[in-house]
Amino acid sequence: MTTGAAPFLTVREITMDFGGIRALDGMGLELSQGEVKCIIGPNGCGKSTLFNVISGDLYPTSGQVLFNGDAITGLSPQKICRNGIARKFQIPSVFDDLTVAENIEIAMTSAAKHYAPFSLMRGGPDRSRYGPVLAETRLLEFGDKPAAELPHGIRQQLEIALLVVTDAQLLLLDEPTAGMTEDETDAIVHMIQDVRDRLGVAVLVIEHDMGFVRKLGSPLIVMMEGAVLREGDYAAISEDARIRQAYLGEID
Ligand code: ADP
Ligand code: MG
């Protein structure tokens, strides 16, 4: 064995059966600290199920998920979240009646409580870390607006910000740009890159929009029938005839 730090995230040989349906069939992947990877694949190939297994919302039929060297398979979603893996619906989601600033404040405060009683000494997440990231979004401009009044794209930025300010090390984003305009999509691309570059946060993002995938410029994992069909960068994947066929010409 070589020495060195344990891999950040390892998904190993995961199988997930729902009755007679095998949603995941030997799925595996690796992600390094601060790395962004995009998962693509046709509808029903198991992408969301994979996230459910990583987040602890589903217990797999077989296989293991390792995070920072520890097996997390079988831990509750709350424990996995506290370990630093953040998925949208696991944190208190957006409070519509509260402003953007209040929502962010509450997310930070609730994250601080997770460290109790040490939070008294630590003071919870280091708030100053997040200023530069928030400043790159349009969230400051909307700071005193109630969340209910936000345009769709800004609301998605808020949801991602609420994950980030809990001191998450890994974000799981399932189709974060669904229903967005091109400008809104570009803002999400920028936000993911900024969270990675400034905070060293890793992101796994499931996305259907190939324009988004190309702009993000991250390594791709192509799934098919519950397993990895191929990994590579956008250029390599977009030239693969099998993948082009599966996407029915959606790749330009
Ligand atoms: P994707 O996100 O790639 O579109 P999913 O992971 O949602 O695919 O689904 C993979 C397969 O598992 C599909 O056939 C889907 O119908 C099935 N499936 C997903 N969740 C459940 C569930 N809770 N119960 C039964 N079948 C499910
Ligand atoms: Mg899905």
Side-chain angles (χ1 to χ4, degrees):
M1 287 265 316
T2 52
T3 52
F8 180 66
L9 177 75
T10 306
V11 172
R12 191 179 287 158
E13 283 287 319
I14 295 279
T15 299
M16 181 77 229
D17 291 334
F18 295 112
I21 295 174
R22 178 153 289 187
L24 294 175
D25 189 8
M27 180 62 198
L29 65 80
E30 291 209 350
L31 189 73
S32 303
Q33 197 165 17
E35 187 178 29
V36 175
K37 280 188 181 174
C38 229
I39 300 172
I40 66 169
N43 262 338
C45 72
K47 303 181 297 297
S48 296
T49 300
L50 170 68
F51 273 16
N52 284 328
V53 168
I54 296 172
S55 65
D57 290 286
L58 281 176
Y59 188 72
T61 308
S62 63
Q64 262 198 331
V65 180
L66 300 158
F67 186 57
N68 288 321
D70 297 322
I72 58 166
T73 340
L75 296 184
S76 69
Q78 291 74 21
K79 278 219 171 98
I80 289 175
C81 187
R82 249 172 275 154
N83 279 347
I85 300 182
R87 190 178 180 191
K88 268 183 195 171
F89 54 74
Q90 282 176 355
I91 55 136
S93 49
V94 178
F95 293 106
D96 277 333
D97 296 339
L98 301 184
T99 66
V100 167
E102 287 164 344
N103 268 287
I104 290 172
E105 182 60 31
I106 285 175
M108 283 186 183
T109 309
S110 74
K113 283 202 186 111
H114 288 154
Y115 299 114
F118 303 108
S119 62
L120 294 174
M121 293 181 291
R122 276 194 49 164
D126 174 4
R127 286 150 193 260
S128 61
R129 284 182 80 211
Y130 302 115
V133 172
L134 296 174
E136 288 286 318
T137 67
R138 290 183 65 205
L139 287 168
L140 297 185
E141 181 189 325
F142 286 89
D144 49 16
K145 279 259 187 300
E149 292 174 21
L150 297 178
H152 178 60
I154 306 295
R155 189 186 173 92
Q156 290 300 109
Q157 287 194 333
L158 175 60
E159 291 205 13
I160 296 172
L162 295 185
L163 301 181
V164 171
V165 301
T166 61
D167 269 359
Q169 297 173 56
L170 168 62
L171 307 186
L172 302 177
L173 304 179
D174 195 344
E175 304 200 9
T177 71
M180 285 193 183
T181 64
E182 198 171 344
D183 283 351
E184 288 172 336
T185 298
D186 289 351
I188 299 295
V189 168
H190 183 75
M191 191 171 181
I192 292 171
Q193 291 169 336
D194 206 42
V195 160
R196 174 195 61 197
D197 297 343
R198 288 177 196 263
L199 302 175
V201 171
V203 185
L204 274 180
V205 53
I206 293 171
E207 195 41 79
H208 195 69
D209 173 358
M210 293 309 291
F212 168 93
V213 169
R214 183 173 49 75
K215 285 178 190 161
L216 190 63
S218 298
L220 303 183
I221 298 171
V222 185
M223 284 182 68
M224 196 75 90
E225 298 179 352
V228 175
L229 177 69
R230 187 167 172 185
E231 293 196 47
D233 63 12
Y234 182 87
I237 296 298
S238 61
E239 282 162 14
D240 185 314
R242 288 175 305 172
I243 295 166
R244 292 187 72 87
Q245 200 178 10
Y247 272 83
L248 300 169
E250 279 177 54
I251 300 175
D252 337 292

